[in-house]
């Protein structure tokens, strides 16, 4: 079943408004996330794309209070989940949400899994903590989860340690841990980045099947637009701690409106393009996050930059009912947006 065929309820399960996250360093304040707002719908897979340092991971880790405080600081915002604001919860309260209601698959399973605890212990722990299962019940469920994510001889492998698994298998274990308590929301932070192409395809297919079977809402964080093309209903493009474009996946790929999105898509090889057609690259450097973001963060790299871009950061402007872009220049019309 493809992403477009998945049943999506248009009611939001998670509502994030004006999220700002800063890091206080010796060099100054790093403005990592600058007023992010978005909704995650029931049963939806939302792709979040952008280059390293764009604020993707920090945004999602902020929601679950996973950033180190200090030096991190959630300066403002709300994140309403199940009629509660995640950002106002105490650590004891948010712990019951993490793993229980919202699962998180981290980018690097080797550093996320505890090397001195068995895989079985690490899967059983949330089952006992959140669901109150006995040790025996939790062990049975852990073996079932390993089977679900495609690890053979699951029962025998519960006593193994992370170093005894390959990279792809460790990522499957991370997925099993994230799914242990049947969360309503799953956040996957670049879960296929460190894996070879064959294993990537297997993990993506696994997530598709699990989503079909469990009906959960998923946020898929990646720097690779090619990965989310066949997964997501909507895509949110981030740059410099801002959302610069958000649209239904077909609309974004077919009619990108932000110069940064066009640059990302232009750097992808296409099967339907002329073989002589050259891939494009985005000139210049990412923005300096130590500076207060009062101008368009992409202005120094943008081929369409004009005076207004240097003094005023554009909000998300509506292109149509399901397409928004933060750009003062209308590429299609070749003129400023009104």
């Amino acid at each position: 079943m493809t992403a477009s065929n998945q049943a999506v309820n248009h009611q939001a399960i998670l509502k994030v408004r004006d999220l700002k996250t800063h890091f206080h360093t010796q060099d100054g304040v790093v403005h990592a996330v600058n007023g992010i707002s978005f909704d995650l719908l029931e049963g939806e897979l939302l792709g979040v794309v952008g280059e390293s340092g764009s604020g993707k991971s920090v945004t999602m880790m902020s929601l679950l209070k996973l950033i180190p405080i200090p030096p991190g600081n959630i300066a403002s915002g709300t994140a309403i989940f199940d009629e509660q604001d995640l950002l106002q919860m105490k650590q004891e309260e948010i712990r019951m949400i993490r793993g229980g209601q919202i699962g998180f698959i981290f980018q690097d399973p080797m550093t996320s899994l505890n090397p001195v605890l068995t895989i079985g212990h690490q899967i059983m722990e949330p089952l006992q903590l959140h669901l109150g299962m006995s040790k025996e019940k939790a062990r049975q469920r852990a073996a079932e989860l390993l089977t679900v994510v495609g690890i053979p001889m699951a029962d025998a492998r519960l006593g193994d340690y992370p170093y005894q698994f390959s990279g792809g298998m460790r990522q499957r274990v991370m997925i099993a841990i994230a799914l242990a308590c049947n969360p309503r929301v799953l956040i996957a932070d670049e879960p296929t980045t460190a894996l070879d192409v064959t294993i990537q395809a297997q993990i993506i297919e696994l997530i598709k099947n699990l989503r079909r079977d469990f009906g959960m809402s998923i946020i898929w964080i990646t720097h690779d637009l090619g990965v989310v093309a066949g997964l997501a209903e909507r895509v949110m493009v981030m740059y410099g701690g801002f959302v610069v474009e958000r649209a239904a996946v077909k609309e974004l790929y077919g009619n990108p409106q932000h110069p940064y999105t066009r640059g990302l898509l232009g750097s992808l090889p296409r099967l339907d393009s002329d073989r002589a057609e050259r891939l494009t690259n985005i000139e210049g450097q990412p923005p300096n996050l130590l500076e207060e973001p009062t101008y368009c963060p992409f202005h120094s790299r943008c081929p369409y930059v004009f005076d207004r871009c240097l003094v005023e950061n554009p909000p998300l402007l509506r292109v149509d009912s399901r397409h928004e872009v933060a750009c003062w220049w209308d590429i299609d019309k070749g003129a400023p947006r009104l």
Side-chain angles (χ1 to χ4, degrees):
M1 184 180 291
T2 62
S4 59
N5 291 330
Q6 294 283 355
V8 177
N9 186 328
H10 291 285
Q11 185 174 346
I13 190 172
L14 176 65
K15 296 181 180 180
V16 178
R17 297 291 180 272
D18 195 35
L19 175 65
K20 295 181 182 178
T21 302
H22 300 158
F23 291 90
H24 296 270
T25 71
Q26 290 181 334
D27 296 324
V29 177
V30 176
H31 300 85
V33 177
N34 301 302
I36 296 293
S37 298
F38 68 92
D39 289 348
L40 177 67
L41 307 181
E42 290 268 10
E44 175 185 43
L45 195 149
L46 174 67
V48 182
V49 301
E51 62 194 49
S52 297
S54 61
K56 309 182 302 296
S57 297
V58 174
T59 295
M60 302 311 161
M61 292 178 75
S62 296
L63 300 181
L64 295 177
K65 295 193 171 182
L66 289 169
I67 62 167
I69 300 175
N73 172 45
I74 299 173
S76 72
T78 59
I80 305 302
F81 174 76
D82 206 15
E83 299 183 358
Q84 296 177 289
D85 187 354
L86 299 175
L87 303 183
Q88 296 300 317
M89 288 184 175
K90 297 176 181 176
Q91 280 296 336
E92 301 77 37
E93 296 172 314
I94 198 76
R95 267 194 211 105
M96 300 310 294
I97 297 292
R98 289 197 300 250
Q101 296 290 314
I102 302 177
F104 205 112
I105 304 171
F106 292 93
Q107 189 171 144
D108 184 359
M110 200 57 210
T111 56
S112 303
L113 293 169
N114 191 322
V116 300
L117 295 176
T118 65
I119 292 301
H121 179 96
Q122 295 183 64
I123 301 175
M124 290 163 61
E125 186 176 37
L127 293 168
Q128 293 174 290
L129 174 66
H130 295 293
L131 302 183
M133 284 188 180
S134 66
K135 189 173 181 179
E136 186 53 40
K137 284 271 189 186
R139 182 180 174 84
Q140 290 175 7
R141 174 64 175 152
E144 289 172 9
L145 285 162
L146 287 185
T147 302
V148 165
V149 298
I151 294 180
M153 297 182 294
D155 196 59
R157 303 225 61 181
L158 290 174
D160 289 347
Y161 291 85
Y163 76 88
Q164 294 174 276
F165 290 76
S166 67
M169 288 297 185
R170 283 195 294 268
Q171 195 59 278
R172 290 170 186 267
V173 170
M174 284 296 303
I175 294 170
I177 294 171
L179 294 174
C181 299
N182 294 327
R184 295 167 63 196
V185 173
L186 180 65
I187 300 173
D189 186 3
E190 306 219 29
T192 61
T193 297
L195 307 176
D196 66 53
V197 176
T198 304
I199 304 300
Q200 274 190 25
Q202 292 174 4
I203 295 296
I204 288 169
E205 192 61 30
L206 172 62
I207 293 291
K208 280 184 178 180
N209 293 337
L210 292 171
R211 181 182 170 218
R212 179 195 63 209
D213 296 340
F214 292 93
M216 66 187 73
S217 302
I218 299 175
I219 297 174
W220 186 286
I221 305 167
T222 183
H223 63 274
D224 188 346
L225 273 163
V227 168
V228 296
L231 279 175
E233 277 83 34
R234 287 190 303 143
V235 181
M236 187 165 80
V237 182
M238 291 187 65
Y239 184 82
F242 293 93
V243 176
V244 296
E245 189 161 8
R246 181 166 51 215
V249 64
K250 288 184 179 178
E251 174 69 11
L252 187 100
Y253 283 74
N255 185 31
Q257 291 293 302
H258 198 281
Y260 177 62
T261 310
R262 291 200 171 199
L264 288 178
L265 288 169
S267 67
L268 286 175
R270 296 173 60 103
L271 293 174
D272 59 352
S273 66
D274 186 342
R275 291 184 65 182
E277 189 177 323
R278 292 179 65 86
L279 299 180
T280 61
N281 65 321
I282 302 173
E283 302 288 347
Q285 298 295 320
N288 182 0
L289 298 179
L290 291 169
E291 295 180 7
E292 187 75 27
T294 56
Y295 45 79
C296 174
F298 194 63
H299 79 274
S300 64
R301 309 172 77 180
C302 182
Y304 307 101
V305 64
F306 67 109
D307 293 349
R308 190 176 187 181
C309 310
L310 308 180
V311 295
E312 189 178 357
N313 191 9
L316 279 169
L317 306 169
R318 194 165 290 282
V319 177
D320 61 37
S321 61
R322 295 197 68 195
H323 196 161
E324 299 165 290
V325 63
C327 185
W328 293 125
W329 189 259
D330 188 322
I331 297 175
D332 291 337
K333 293 180 179 178
R337 294 183 189 276
L338 299 177

